[in-house]
Amino acid sequence: MGMLCAVSFNRYGRLYYLDPGEFSPQVGDRVLVPTDDGPEVAECVWAAQWVSEDTDGFPKVAGLADDRDLRRDELLRKRKAEAKVAAKKLIKAHELPMKVVAVDHVLEQGGTGGARTTIYFTAPHRVDFRSLVRDLGATLHCRVELRQLSARDSARVQGGIGSCGRDLCCATFLTDFEPVTIRMAKDQDLPLNPLRISGACGRLMCCLKYEHPLYQKFQASAPAVGTRVTTPAGDGKVVAHSVPKDAVVVRMDADGSRCSCSRASVCGPRQAHDEQYNEG
């Protein structure tokens, strides 16, 4: 058990959870977050509070941002905006099929290295951007790196709202992209319309994997569609599954009506157990 707070580098951006340590940041406070390139300023969006989880593995707040840190952060944002505008203009001038997704900039640090700009982009195929890098370096007067992102990584960086109405999973809590297949959609009896089962990245939605083990477990023990079963209300044929309810839909032989029965009530082993128990 320990304390955690949540911060964001951009308004409505991805949340990062930190151990406040000796500090007590409140909502709206600017705090320093440790990164590979040194502390960066972020806004506290969730005040420090006690949580039941173990907080040993979370990074700690490096301190509260002062006026000097805020001025540095403002300069950093200005450099990023300038780099993004310059990149878009030069990409258009070079007629390259690239789309700028995000920009990172590291300010010059005395004695530890010069300024560096990293531009993340997407493209339909591999792009020869050597001349673009040279022109960007001459325009921005710093070292420039270009990194191509996949469709999923692009969605993670940009963020957005999914079809469920919530922030994208990849932009909030997902750390790794696990394989998602069309078989998962078929097992869940979902429409195979790409517009219905694709995420913001254009690939199959990551959430198809969340409930897939539940469907696999259900299908392994439930009678298949078309199987004749005996229910507490009489004999009938299974015409559909309702996995979230752990039930099957049965069309009754007597009057053709449909009823929803729990999987256990039409499962052979369960029926045998009940018969033996009742006889005993």
Side-chain angles (χ1 to χ4, degrees):
M1 185 173 183
M3 295 191 74
L4 284 181
C5 65
V7 303
S8 176
F9 291 98
N10 300 293
R11 185 173 294 276
Y12 309 120
R14 182 176 183 177
L15 297 183
Y16 295 86
Y17 296 92
L18 305 173
D19 180 349
E22 61 185 272
F23 305 98
S24 300
Q26 300 299 314
V27 175
D29 289 348
R30 300 297 183 91
V31 299
L32 296 177
V33 180
T35 69
D36 293 338
D37 297 313
E40 291 192 16
V41 177
E43 181 180 355
C44 178
V45 296
W46 179 32
Q49 58 182 270
W50 290 100
V51 296
S52 57
E53 291 83 5
D54 183 12
T55 60
D56 289 342
F58 289 87
K60 289 189 176 183
V61 172
L64 299 178
D66 55 23
D67 291 340
R68 180 181 177 184
D69 296 319
L70 295 178
R71 288 194 298 270
R72 180 178 178 276
D73 182 63
E74 185 63 27
L75 177 60
L76 185 62
R77 292 177 184 274
K78 181 180 178 181
R79 292 287 184 269
K80 288 182 180 180
E82 292 172 349
K84 191 170 186 178
V85 171
K88 288 183 176 181
K89 288 183 177 180
L90 288 173
I91 287 173
K92 185 176 181 179
H94 284 262
E95 298 181 348
L96 295 173
M98 300 166 59
K99 178 182 177 181
V100 177
V101 175
V103 176
D104 276 341
H105 183 78
V106 178
L107 295 174
E108 185 174 358
Q109 301 175 3
T112 61
R116 182 180 75 251
T117 296
T118 304
I119 298 174
Y120 301 92
F121 71 94
T122 57
H125 49 75
R126 292 184 64 86
V127 179
D128 184 0
F129 49 72
R130 288 174 292 184
S131 59
L132 175 63
V133 172
R134 288 195 298 268
D135 289 349
L136 280 171
T139 301
L140 300 176
H141 306 291
C142 66
R143 185 160 62 92
V144 176
E145 297 179 3
L146 269 69
R147 296 183 183 179
Q148 185 169 353
L149 298 179
S150 65
R152 291 190 184 276
D153 285 325
S154 176
R156 167 187 284 179
V157 171
Q158 295 182 91
I161 303 297
S163 57
C164 59
R166 299 174 64 91
D167 291 334
L168 297 180
C169 298
C170 58
T172 51
F173 64 88
L174 280 184
T175 56
D176 296 311
F177 291 121
E178 298 185 12
V180 182
T181 65
I182 196 67
R183 169 54 59 184
M184 296 179 182
K186 292 180 178 179
D187 290 345
Q188 297 175 48
D189 197 25
L190 295 173
L192 301 183
N193 183 343
L195 297 178
R196 298 285 299 276
I197 59 176
S198 298
C201 59
R203 304 293 191 269
L204 291 173
M205 293 188 295
C206 294
C207 56
L208 291 177
K209 191 175 182 65
Y210 298 166
E211 296 179 355
H212 188 242
L214 176 65
Y215 281 80
Q216 287 181 309
K217 182 179 179 181
F218 180 91
Q219 292 171 358
S221 57
V225 173
T227 304
R228 298 196 58 80
V229 296
T230 298
T231 74
D235 294 340
K237 180 186 293 186
V238 176
V239 294
H241 290 161
S242 180
V243 179
K245 295 181 179 179
D246 194 27
V248 296
V249 179
V250 179
R251 184 172 62 231
M252 308 306 298
D253 292 340
D255 55 6
S257 63
R258 298 190 177 197
C259 69
S260 179
C261 306
S262 67
R263 176 177 53 86
S265 67
V266 297
C267 180
R270 174 60 181 269
Q271 291 177 339
H273 173 271
D274 290 345
E275 290 176 1
Q276 181 178 3
Y277 179 79
N278 292 334
E279 290 177 358

